[in-house]
Amino acid sequence: MSGRAKKSIVTGYLVVIHALLGYLIWERIGSWSEDRGPVEVAAVPVASLSPADFPILDPESSDVPEAEPPSTTPTVLSTPNLAAGLRPEGLIIPVANYRREQLTDSFTQARSNGRLHDAIDIMAPAGTPVVATADGEILKFFDSKAGGITIYQASVDHRFIYYYAHLQSRAPDLKEGEVVKQGRTIGLVGDTGNAGAGNYHLHFSVASTDNPKRYWEGVYLNPYPLLRN
């Protein structure tokens, strides 16, 4: 048999083998598809989608953990009330038996990491009662490395957040969600957090907010003139 004939026979066998392999592969894919069943993808017209199809997770109603508030005073966010010229009125000094002339304006004093104080410190002996500066709702108890034992309170209209930090303790009968009257004892002056051992004082801030659920965000207002006038 000539070399050309042998080459033709080999080529023929290869063609047959490739055809058989192709058939077996096709059979296998067909069987696999039948086992899984058809997959249908429904086309949704873009025009039919609305914002309701993309819900925003609410930390209050989902498994997403609530964002932890910072360890100090609220962060600068927006100025809705300031733009309208709104300020809290009728505040009292949140430390019992403290005189206006004893207050010191430390609002713009520098703090670590390039921060400003954004609050005032009201120096008083350990255990001095801390009182609610105004009527309003106790929003949150929060303990942190910097602020120590703290309380966040909202004003009656929920436009302002009052923040009390470095407490020795909170009043034992005080509860989150409770609406308190101005002058109600809510805690005691202490030195918890980064106040420094023996440096007893109340760190007190006031912030304007447009969303009291995010009580750790807002725009700081200087408490000094609000308490002095």
Side-chain angles (χ1 to χ4, degrees), residues 64 69 77 92-93 102 108 113 165 181 191 198-199 213 216 220:
V64 177
L77 182 67
I92 64 171
I93 297 172
Q102 292 178 277
T108 59
N113 301 318
K181 301 296 290 184
D191 61 352
N199 185 27
K213 287 187 177 181
W216 61 95
Y220 307 115

PDB file of all heavy atoms in Angstrom, residues 64 69 77 92-93 102 108 113 165 181 191 198-199 213 216 220:
ATOM      1  N   VAL A  64     -28.706  45.198  59.917  1.00  0.00           N
ATOM      2  CA  VAL A  64     -27.493  45.998  59.806  1.00  0.00           C
ATOM      3  C   VAL A  64     -27.250  46.683  61.147  1.00  0.00           C
ATOM      4  O   VAL A  64     -28.133  47.362  61.666  1.00  0.00           O
ATOM      5  CB  VAL A  64     -27.639  47.060  58.703  1.00  0.00           C
ATOM      6  CG1 VAL A  64     -26.396  47.933  58.633  1.00  0.00           C
ATOM      7  CG2 VAL A  64     -27.888  46.387  57.368  1.00  0.00           C
ATOM      8  N   PRO A  69     -21.808  55.687  67.459  1.00  0.00           N
ATOM      9  CA  PRO A  69     -21.494  57.107  67.543  1.00  0.00           C
ATOM     10  C   PRO A  69     -20.048  57.313  67.928  1.00  0.00           C
ATOM     11  O   PRO A  69     -19.412  56.425  68.484  1.00  0.00           O
ATOM     12  CB  PRO A  69     -22.441  57.610  68.636  1.00  0.00           C
ATOM     13  CG  PRO A  69     -22.784  56.403  69.421  1.00  0.00           C
ATOM     14  CD  PRO A  69     -22.757  55.247  68.466  1.00  0.00           C
ATOM     15  N   LEU A  77     -22.115  68.134  60.197  1.00  0.00           N
ATOM     16  CA  LEU A  77     -22.812  67.529  59.075  1.00  0.00           C
ATOM     17  C   LEU A  77     -23.569  68.544  58.238  1.00  0.00           C
ATOM     18  O   LEU A  77     -23.343  68.689  57.049  1.00  0.00           O
ATOM     19  CB  LEU A  77     -23.784  66.453  59.574  1.00  0.00           C
ATOM     20  CG  LEU A  77     -24.555  65.707  58.490  1.00  0.00           C
ATOM     21  CD1 LEU A  77     -23.595  64.860  57.670  1.00  0.00           C
ATOM     22  CD2 LEU A  77     -25.636  64.844  59.095  1.00  0.00           C
ATOM     23  N   ILE A  92     -30.674  75.868  81.021  1.00  0.00           N
ATOM     24  CA  ILE A  92     -30.074  76.116  82.328  1.00  0.00           C
ATOM     25  C   ILE A  92     -28.727  75.396  82.381  1.00  0.00           C
ATOM     26  O   ILE A  92     -28.471  74.454  81.625  1.00  0.00           O
ATOM     27  CB  ILE A  92     -30.975  75.640  83.482  1.00  0.00           C
ATOM     28  CG1 ILE A  92     -31.153  74.111  83.440  1.00  0.00           C
ATOM     29  CG2 ILE A  92     -32.318  76.354  83.448  1.00  0.00           C
ATOM     30  CD1 ILE A  92     -31.863  73.542  84.675  1.00  0.00           C
ATOM     31  N   ILE A  93     -27.874  75.850  83.272  1.00  0.00           N
ATOM     32  CA  ILE A  93     -26.567  75.210  83.429  1.00  0.00           C
ATOM     33  C   ILE A  93     -26.792  73.773  83.897  1.00  0.00           C
ATOM     34  O   ILE A  93     -27.490  73.545  84.893  1.00  0.00           O
ATOM     35  CB  ILE A  93     -25.699  75.978  84.436  1.00  0.00           C
ATOM     36  CG1 ILE A  93     -25.436  77.390  83.908  1.00  0.00           C
ATOM     37  CG2 ILE A  93     -24.381  75.248  84.680  1.00  0.00           C
ATOM     38  CD1 ILE A  93     -24.743  78.296  84.910  1.00  0.00           C
ATOM     39  N   GLN A 102     -19.370  81.525  86.881  1.00  0.00           N
ATOM     40  CA  GLN A 102     -18.332  80.512  87.029  1.00  0.00           C
ATOM     41  C   GLN A 102     -17.983  79.835  85.695  1.00  0.00           C
ATOM     42  O   GLN A 102     -16.966  79.151  85.603  1.00  0.00           O
ATOM     43  CB  GLN A 102     -18.787  79.426  88.021  1.00  0.00           C
ATOM     44  CG  GLN A 102     -18.904  79.886  89.461  1.00  0.00           C
ATOM     45  CD  GLN A 102     -19.408  78.782  90.367  1.00  0.00           C
ATOM     46  OE1 GLN A 102     -20.618  78.553  90.459  1.00  0.00           O
ATOM     47  NE2 GLN A 102     -18.495  78.084  91.014  1.00  0.00           N
ATOM     48  N   THR A 108     -13.623  76.912  71.637  1.00  0.00           N
ATOM     49  CA  THR A 108     -12.666  76.903  70.530  1.00  0.00           C
ATOM     50  C   THR A 108     -11.271  76.434  70.944  1.00  0.00           C
ATOM     51  O   THR A 108     -10.329  76.539  70.152  1.00  0.00           O
ATOM     52  CB  THR A 108     -12.558  78.302  69.913  1.00  0.00           C
ATOM     53  OG1 THR A 108     -12.143  79.245  70.932  1.00  0.00           O
ATOM     54  CG2 THR A 108     -13.897  78.752  69.334  1.00  0.00           C
ATOM     55  N   ASN A 113      -4.983  65.790  68.029  1.00  0.00           N
ATOM     56  CA  ASN A 113      -5.230  65.445  66.624  1.00  0.00           C
ATOM     57  C   ASN A 113      -5.853  66.587  65.834  1.00  0.00           C
ATOM     58  O   ASN A 113      -6.617  66.369  64.890  1.00  0.00           O
ATOM     59  CB  ASN A 113      -6.138  64.202  66.525  1.00  0.00           C
ATOM     60  CG  ASN A 113      -5.544  62.988  67.199  1.00  0.00           C
ATOM     61  OD1 ASN A 113      -4.340  62.730  67.077  1.00  0.00           O
ATOM     62  ND2 ASN A 113      -6.364  62.235  67.932  1.00  0.00           N
ATOM     63  N   ALA A 165     -20.973  64.311  79.021  1.00  0.00           N
ATOM     64  CA  ALA A 165     -19.925  63.288  79.015  1.00  0.00           C
ATOM     65  C   ALA A 165     -19.072  63.337  80.281  1.00  0.00           C
ATOM     66  O   ALA A 165     -19.106  64.307  81.041  1.00  0.00           O
ATOM     67  CB  ALA A 165     -19.041  63.450  77.781  1.00  0.00           C
ATOM     68  N   LYS A 181     -37.963  66.498  82.312  1.00  0.00           N
ATOM     69  CA  LYS A 181     -38.186  67.930  82.478  1.00  0.00           C
ATOM     70  C   LYS A 181     -36.866  68.616  82.793  1.00  0.00           C
ATOM     71  O   LYS A 181     -35.950  68.028  83.356  1.00  0.00           O
ATOM     72  CB  LYS A 181     -39.188  68.176  83.609  1.00  0.00           C
ATOM     73  CG  LYS A 181     -40.543  67.522  83.401  1.00  0.00           C
ATOM     74  CD  LYS A 181     -41.275  68.077  82.200  1.00  0.00           C
ATOM     75  CE  LYS A 181     -41.755  69.502  82.430  1.00  0.00           C
ATOM     76  NZ  LYS A 181     -42.563  70.007  81.292  1.00  0.00           N
ATOM     77  N   ASP A 191     -15.098  61.678  86.194  1.00  0.00           N
ATOM     78  CA  ASP A 191     -13.852  61.838  85.439  1.00  0.00           C
ATOM     79  C   ASP A 191     -13.631  60.642  84.510  1.00  0.00           C
ATOM     80  O   ASP A 191     -12.489  60.278  84.202  1.00  0.00           O
ATOM     81  CB  ASP A 191     -12.661  62.020  86.380  1.00  0.00           C
ATOM     82  CG  ASP A 191     -12.453  60.815  87.309  1.00  0.00           C
ATOM     83  OD1 ASP A 191     -13.332  59.906  87.323  1.00  0.00           O
ATOM     84  OD2 ASP A 191     -11.425  60.767  88.013  1.00  0.00           O
ATOM     85  N   GLY A 198      -9.238  62.348  88.491  1.00  0.00           N
ATOM     86  CA  GLY A 198      -9.363  63.477  89.406  1.00  0.00           C
ATOM     87  C   GLY A 198      -9.750  64.780  88.747  1.00  0.00           C
ATOM     88  O   GLY A 198      -9.992  65.772  89.434  1.00  0.00           O
ATOM     89  N   ASN A 199      -9.801  64.811  87.411  1.00  0.00           N
ATOM     90  CA  ASN A 199     -10.187  66.039  86.690  1.00  0.00           C
ATOM     91  C   ASN A 199     -11.706  66.044  86.515  1.00  0.00           C
ATOM     92  O   ASN A 199     -12.229  65.884  85.417  1.00  0.00           O
ATOM     93  CB  ASN A 199      -9.478  66.091  85.336  1.00  0.00           C
ATOM     94  CG  ASN A 199      -9.736  67.396  84.597  1.00  0.00           C
ATOM     95  OD1 ASN A 199      -9.993  68.423  85.214  1.00  0.00           O
ATOM     96  ND2 ASN A 199      -9.649  67.346  83.281  1.00  0.00           N
ATOM     97  N   LYS A 213     -32.325  60.760  64.735  1.00  0.00           N
ATOM     98  CA  LYS A 213     -31.949  59.350  64.778  1.00  0.00           C
ATOM     99  C   LYS A 213     -30.443  59.186  64.618  1.00  0.00           C
ATOM    100  O   LYS A 213     -29.866  58.198  65.066  1.00  0.00           O
ATOM    101  CB  LYS A 213     -32.676  58.577  63.671  1.00  0.00           C
ATOM    102  CG  LYS A 213     -34.156  58.354  63.937  1.00  0.00           C
ATOM    103  CD  LYS A 213     -34.774  57.452  62.891  1.00  0.00           C
ATOM    104  CE  LYS A 213     -36.225  57.161  63.200  1.00  0.00           C
ATOM    105  NZ  LYS A 213     -36.843  56.251  62.198  1.00  0.00           N
ATOM    106  N   TRP A 216     -25.462  61.520  66.789  1.00  0.00           N
ATOM    107  CA  TRP A 216     -24.037  61.827  66.911  1.00  0.00           C
ATOM    108  C   TRP A 216     -23.571  62.764  65.793  1.00  0.00           C
ATOM    109  O   TRP A 216     -22.402  63.112  65.718  1.00  0.00           O
ATOM    110  CB  TRP A 216     -23.220  60.538  66.882  1.00  0.00           C
ATOM    111  CG  TRP A 216     -23.381  59.748  65.618  1.00  0.00           C
ATOM    112  CD1 TRP A 216     -22.573  59.790  64.501  1.00  0.00           C
ATOM    113  CD2 TRP A 216     -24.412  58.796  65.316  1.00  0.00           C
ATOM    114  NE1 TRP A 216     -23.041  58.931  63.545  1.00  0.00           N
ATOM    115  CE2 TRP A 216     -24.162  58.306  64.011  1.00  0.00           C
ATOM    116  CE3 TRP A 216     -25.513  58.318  66.030  1.00  0.00           C
ATOM    117  CZ2 TRP A 216     -24.988  57.354  63.413  1.00  0.00           C
ATOM    118  CZ3 TRP A 216     -26.332  57.374  65.429  1.00  0.00           C
ATOM    119  CH2 TRP A 216     -26.068  56.900  64.137  1.00  0.00           C
ATOM    120  N   TYR A 220     -22.098  72.017  65.723  1.00  0.00           N
ATOM    121  CA  TYR A 220     -21.896  72.468  67.091  1.00  0.00           C
ATOM    122  C   TYR A 220     -22.309  73.924  67.271  1.00  0.00           C
ATOM    123  O   TYR A 220     -22.021  74.772  66.436  1.00  0.00           O
ATOM    124  CB  TYR A 220     -20.425  72.351  67.477  1.00  0.00           C
ATOM    125  CG  TYR A 220     -19.822  70.993  67.249  1.00  0.00           C
ATOM    126  CD1 TYR A 220     -18.804  70.818  66.318  1.00  0.00           C
ATOM    127  CD2 TYR A 220     -20.251  69.895  67.969  1.00  0.00           C
ATOM    128  CE1 TYR A 220     -18.232  69.583  66.108  1.00  0.00           C
ATOM    129  CE2 TYR A 220     -19.685  68.644  67.760  1.00  0.00           C
ATOM    130  CZ  TYR A 220     -18.676  68.503  66.831  1.00  0.00           C
ATOM    131  OH  TYR A 220     -18.120  67.274  66.623  1.00  0.00           O
TER     132      TYR A 220
END
